[in-house]
């Protein structure tokens, strides 16, 4: 039985029914005001995970999660401990979390309720969709941390990772690397960019905001201002394919 976004408690905390909207470019948002906290939680959901990887894109969804956190043109997580932007906005450097699952990737942050913090995170999210710099040096610098996380956190035994391996084996896939570390050290830039161009699109992305929101109308205006751009990715729209995929998934993310 399918579940709507508002029924998925892992993604959408239970409280009031969400206020939702869709911009002309397909970018969707869900707002849930609550008086239970004086903070605001934001979660950018890209509806693409390891299930969307092609044969030559093994682990690209997770690696992309790492890349977008450091490759933003204006704001990135490298700035957390040293940037005046984060200090003045009073954003806790440890408040960021990101994860990749089979069918989605999420970028979550909890911030204090102040305009500077909201503007900084909106710019951070906007960079993820519109202004990433896929420099080879960024890709190279992420290989070792990615392998370390895989070893340290047991990514090789996580549910999502094992489910992906099982699915690929059932399909007779030949893309599962025998040596994971060697594979990551030799990931090419092109399939990574292809994965990004195909899935990191406004129409394939939802923004969820919960907490002490305040003026809903003003927040919606800010969302429209920041996220109304059309994607510059040179690719045919994936709207129908995206909707068909999620229509057959355990829960919907739009």
């Amino acid at each position: 039985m399918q579940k709507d976004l508002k029924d998925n408690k892992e993604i959408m905390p239970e409280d009031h029914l969400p206020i939702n909207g869709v911009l002309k470019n397909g970018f969707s948002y869900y707002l849930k005001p609550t008086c239970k906290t004086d903070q605001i939680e934001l979660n950018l959901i890209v509806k693409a995970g390891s299930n969307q990887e092609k044969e030559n894109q093994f682990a690209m969804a997770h690696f992309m999660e790492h890349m977008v956190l450091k490759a933003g043109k204006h704001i990135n997580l490298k700035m957390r401990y040293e940037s005046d932007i984060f200090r003045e906005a009073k954003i806790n450097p440890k408040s960021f979390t990101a994860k990749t699952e089979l069918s989605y990737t999420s970028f979550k942050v909890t911030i204090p309720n102040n305009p500077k913090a909201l503007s900084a995170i909106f710019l951070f999210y906007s960079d993820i969709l519109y202004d990433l710099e896929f420099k080879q040096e960024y890709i190279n610098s992420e290989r070792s941390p990615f392998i370390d996380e895989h070893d340290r956190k047991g990514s090789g035994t996580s549910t999502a990772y094992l489910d992906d391996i099982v699915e690929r084996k059932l399909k007779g896939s030949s893309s599962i690397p025998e040596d994971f570390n060697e594979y990551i050290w030799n990931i090419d830039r092109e399939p990574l960019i292809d994965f990004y161009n195909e899935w990191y699109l406004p129409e394939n992305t939802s923004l969820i905001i919960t907490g002490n929101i305040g003026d809903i109308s003003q927040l919606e205006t800010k969302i429209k201002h920041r996220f109304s751009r059309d994607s510059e990715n040179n690719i045919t729209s994936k709207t129908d394919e995206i909707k068909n995929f999620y229509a057959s998934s355990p829960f919907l993310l739009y």
Side-chain angles (χ1 to χ4, degrees):
M1 178 175 166
Q2 296 176 353
K3 295 183 180 180
D4 199 355
L5 175 62
K6 62 180 178 291
D7 297 320
N8 190 318
K9 295 180 182 179
E10 180 185 0
I11 301 297
M12 180 73 76
E14 186 176 12
D15 196 4
H16 305 292
L17 289 176
I19 299 163
N20 67 284
V22 181
L23 305 185
K24 290 182 179 180
N25 62 3
F27 182 91
S28 60
Y29 61 88
Y30 298 81
L31 313 177
K32 290 193 67 176
T34 176
C35 58
K36 293 180 180 179
T37 177
D38 59 355
Q39 295 183 312
I40 297 175
E41 182 178 276
L42 301 94
N43 196 358
L44 186 73
I45 305 291
V46 179
K47 288 165 259 185
S50 55
N51 277 342
Q52 282 65 54
E53 295 168 349
K54 295 177 180 177
E55 280 290 299
N56 67 334
Q57 294 176 336
F58 181 79
M60 293 291 175
H62 189 189
F63 198 89
M64 181 60 64
E65 172 208 313
H66 282 237
M67 279 297 302
V68 301
L69 294 176
K70 73 185 310 178
K73 182 177 180 180
H74 304 99
I75 298 255
N76 56 68
L77 292 198
K78 295 182 295 182
M79 303 165 63
R80 281 182 294 177
Y81 297 96
E82 55 191 43
S83 170
D84 289 339
I85 294 176
F86 283 88
R87 281 197 294 267
E88 292 175 4
K90 299 180 180 179
I91 299 174
N92 185 342
K94 298 181 180 180
S95 64
F96 293 84
T97 59
K99 67 176 180 178
T100 303
E101 298 291 346
L102 288 175
S103 56
Y104 70 91
T105 304
S106 71
F107 304 91
K108 184 186 294 186
V109 59
T110 301
I111 62 173
N113 185 7
N114 71 67
K116 287 186 177 181
L118 188 63
S119 294
I121 300 306
F122 272 18
L123 184 55
F124 169 60
Y125 284 160
S126 178
D127 275 357
I128 289 176
L129 282 179
Y130 306 114
D131 287 307
L132 285 189
E133 298 181 314
F134 281 99
K135 296 180 180 180
Q136 188 64 52
E137 63 189 84
Y138 291 164
I139 298 173
N140 292 342
S141 69
E142 198 54 42
R143 298 181 197 273
S144 182
F146 188 82
I147 291 172
D148 288 343
E149 179 186 309
H150 183 272
D151 295 338
R152 185 178 68 255
K153 293 186 176 181
S155 297
T157 58
S158 69
T159 301
Y161 184 88
L162 290 177
D163 286 347
D164 182 34
I165 294 294
V166 170
E167 258 190 56
R168 287 173 181 268
K169 286 184 176 180
L170 288 175
K171 293 177 181 178
S173 172
S174 60
S175 65
I176 303 170
E178 294 183 6
D179 188 323
F180 180 85
N181 290 6
E182 182 180 0
Y183 170 77
I184 297 301
W185 278 115
N186 290 283
I187 280 181
D188 291 328
R189 183 171 178 268
E190 286 71 23
L192 191 64
I193 294 177
D194 288 344
F195 183 86
Y196 175 83
N197 284 341
E198 187 167 6
W199 296 106
Y200 277 67
L201 304 169
E203 67 197 52
N204 196 36
T205 308
S206 295
L207 174 62
I208 302 167
I209 305 179
T210 65
N212 188 9
I213 292 174
D215 191 328
I216 297 293
S217 178
Q218 186 180 65
L219 180 57
E220 287 188 286
T221 298
K222 290 180 178 179
I223 290 172
K224 292 172 184 177
H225 172 73
R226 179 55 66 186
F227 298 102
S228 288
R229 287 170 55 183
D230 289 328
S231 174
E232 297 178 0
N233 298 341
N234 296 318
I235 187 164
T236 304
S237 172
K238 303 289 288 187
T239 300
D240 291 339
E241 180 178 336
I242 291 164
K243 289 185 176 181
N244 290 337
F245 175 81
Y246 279 91
S248 63
S249 296
F251 56 85
L252 300 180
L253 286 174
Y254 60 86

